[in-house]
Amino acid sequence: MSDFDVIATSPQPLYIQLKDRLRARILDGTYADHQRLPSEAELGALFGVSRITVRQALSDLQREGVIFKIAGKGSFVARKKAQQELTRLEGFAEAMARQGHAIHNRVIGHRSLEATPEVAARLALDSSTRISEIRRIRHLDGEPVSLEITYLPEALGERLRHEDLARRDIFAIFENDFGIPLGHADLQIGAVLADDILAEALQVAPGSALLRIERLTFDAQGKPFDFEYLYFRSETFQYHLRISRRPAASD
């Protein structure tokens, strides 16, 4: 009996059933990151399907970024993307450390400047108010994964000059050191193409697709105090969100 328990009456095409089973084995660690998958012929014999079916399943997995192919060598498991939940407000290092990743930050800028109209409006400040701008490149397991540009009221930003921003989350410093409890955050998510500055910071080619997050964080009293632009390498990181459908209101 083959390893592929086909349900003959299933409406799903065989290649989709095979794709789902291969993905499950990748997720449960049967096939580890960067491990070479069995050849098309071996997969066909293992699961009892044709090579055409195998080829279709592998092509779908490649398009989804689950595997990658090297000409003449075969198909390999792509490294799993790190992910952060959108349903909870927490710092990047806090979320990644919980998943076993090593985080290091490189501070590339910390300056005082006059707020632009957009930043001033987000932080509920006059446009002439001076603010602090902090730029950090976040490294995940030794590789640059994001560029973080943070805007804060100047007095708060100056207090951070004496903190270890290379190893600590700013959110953790606010709550644990400064006694500023976090309330909630508003996020806007989109995509941009890397310009020369972003490409150099994140070690990608100019024009590469990046995930762009705008995050405005409020304290427990509802006052905005932290506005950020976050640029992520899309091939290394993803956000995760679970949503529920609310029952329709009855008349």
Side-chain angles (χ1 to χ4, degrees):
M1 180 179 294
S2 76
D3 192 44
F4 187 31
D5 184 18
V6 179
I7 301 175
T9 59
S10 172
Q12 278 192 325
L14 289 180
Y15 80 92
I16 294 180
Q17 296 183 52
L18 174 58
K19 178 182 69 172
D20 290 344
R21 283 159 174 76
L22 289 174
R23 183 192 289 109
R25 292 189 173 194
I26 290 170
L27 292 176
D28 70 16
T30 301
Y31 298 127
D33 291 354
H34 293 175
Q35 180 179 341
R36 180 183 179 277
L37 294 177
S39 68
E40 291 180 0
E42 291 169 332
L43 286 173
L46 180 64
F47 289 99
V49 295
S50 70
R51 291 187 66 170
I52 294 177
T53 297
V54 173
R55 195 169 294 124
Q56 287 179 300
L58 293 178
S59 293
D60 272 13
L61 290 173
Q62 183 181 20
R63 281 194 295 271
E64 295 171 9
V66 178
I67 66 171
F68 62 94
K69 295 183 179 181
I70 299 178
K73 294 186 177 180
S75 299
F76 297 80
V77 178
R79 187 177 66 180
K80 298 177 183 65
K81 291 184 179 182
Q83 66 178 25
Q84 185 171 358
E85 297 285 342
L86 282 181
T87 53
R88 59 191 300 174
L89 179 56
E90 61 183 348
F92 181 72
E94 181 183 3
M96 295 302 100
R98 193 172 60 251
Q99 299 175 37
H101 296 287
I103 301 299
H104 177 75
N105 310 312
R106 183 161 66 91
V107 180
I108 60 173
H110 194 155
R111 61 174 179 157
S112 177
L113 71 164
E114 188 174 290
T116 65
E118 179 182 9
V119 172
R122 295 297 186 94
L123 294 176
L125 301 171
D126 294 332
S127 58
S128 60
T129 303
R130 295 193 68 80
I131 58 171
S132 288
E133 177 195 80
I134 301 172
R135 294 180 176 238
R136 295 191 297 172
I137 299 175
R138 317 297 298 266
H139 289 77
L140 179 73
D141 299 328
E143 295 185 9
V145 66
S146 71
L147 172 64
E148 177 181 286
I149 305 174
T150 302
Y151 296 101
L152 303 158
E154 186 178 36
L156 194 55
E158 288 302 308
R159 291 180 68 184
L160 287 173
R161 284 190 184 275
H162 309 293
E163 302 296 334
D164 185 4
L165 299 183
R167 292 186 294 180
R168 299 188 65 194
D169 267 334
I170 289 178
F171 281 178
I173 295 173
F174 286 156
E175 289 201 310
N176 299 330
D177 298 13
F178 295 175
I180 302 175
L182 304 182
H184 67 278
D186 292 336
L187 285 82
Q188 296 184 43
I189 304 175
V192 297
L193 299 180
D195 58 18
D196 290 341
I197 294 176
L198 289 170
E200 180 179 0
L202 297 178
Q203 297 180 17
V204 298
S208 298
L210 302 176
L211 181 66
R212 181 178 186 264
I213 312 291
E214 291 184 19
R215 182 170 65 191
L216 178 61
T217 303
F218 299 76
D219 64 20
Q221 285 70 48
K223 179 180 179 180
F225 71 99
D226 179 309
F227 178 58
E228 299 167 290
Y229 293 109
L230 312 173
Y231 298 91
F232 286 92
R233 289 173 54 176
S234 57
E235 82 280 9
T236 62
F237 184 82
Q238 63 186 359
Y239 274 99
H240 179 263
L241 175 65
R242 172 177 291 179
I243 58 176
S244 299
R245 179 179 174 86
R246 293 181 178 177
S250 59
D251 294 333

